[in-house]
Amino acid sequence: MLDIRFCRALQVMMRLAIAAEEGSEVRSSTQFAEELSTNPSLVRKLLVPLHAEGLVICTKGRGGGARLGMPAEEITLADIYRCAVGDKPLWARSPDGEHVCMVAARTGEFFANLTAEAERAVLASLGDRTLADSVREIRALEPAHR
């Protein structure tokens, strides 16, 4: 199902990449929440799979927080997407009903194939772009850079 997890995880990762460039690598969930107009709990939930995959390193306690686990040039948007979305499909299909016709009988299989194809295309597109590329694109959108 489409939701905001990927967008929010990408925002967190871009903010970490910029922080690393600025020399203030560690960001707390409270800092993220303020910067991204969300709550610290959501940020912490987003960080769990990113940490599990080594994309971020999290430390607890005073002065703790999150920082990139590897250079932004080595992290693809596909990596972030997989962490944010997990195994949830891009689209959800409607529940199976009575199979009274060919469409009802085969729609589930057809839709599963269609979703898998779309997911492969999304991952291929995201796999060609790195976190560093994304930060450069965001900076290019700033009025001062135009």
Side-chain angles (χ1 to χ4, degrees):
M1 290 285 267
L2 296 173
D3 61 26
I4 65 166
R5 287 173 294 178
F6 174 56
C7 180
R8 288 297 195 179
L10 182 56
Q11 289 175 323
V12 165
M13 294 297 288
M14 285 194 289
R15 191 62 199 107
L16 283 175
I18 292 168
E21 289 175 358
E22 294 171 347
S24 58
E25 292 185 11
V26 177
R27 310 291 298 166
S28 72
S29 56
T30 302
Q31 288 172 309
F32 281 125
E34 290 171 4
E35 294 165 351
L36 304 175
S37 299
T38 189
N39 64 62
S41 176
L42 174 65
V43 172
R44 287 189 291 274
K45 287 178 187 173
L46 291 171
L47 288 171
V48 169
L50 295 166
H51 175 72
E53 289 299 316
L55 301 182
V56 297
I57 296 170
C58 297
T59 54
K60 294 181 180 180
R62 187 178 198 98
R67 65 181 172 87
L68 290 181
M70 59 184 69
E73 295 81 14
E74 296 177 19
I75 301 171
T76 69
L77 299 191
D79 296 330
I80 299 166
Y81 177 84
R82 283 187 199 100
C83 287
V85 176
D87 62 356
K88 292 170 183 65
L90 184 61
W91 300 311
R93 68 181 209 187
S94 61
D96 290 333
E98 259 188 73
H99 297 175
V100 295
C101 70
M102 177 184 66
V103 172
R106 298 288 175 243
T107 300
E109 181 180 356
F110 169 79
F111 201 75
N113 292 338
L114 179 65
T115 300
E117 181 181 333
E119 188 87 23
R120 284 189 299 273
V122 165
L123 288 171
S125 175
L126 296 176
D128 291 337
R129 298 171 84 170
T130 68
L131 181 58
D133 296 333
S134 300
V135 169
R136 283 190 289 277
E137 287 180 44
I138 286 288
R139 285 199 167 113
L141 295 173
E142 281 290 305
H145 288 93
R146 290 184 181 178

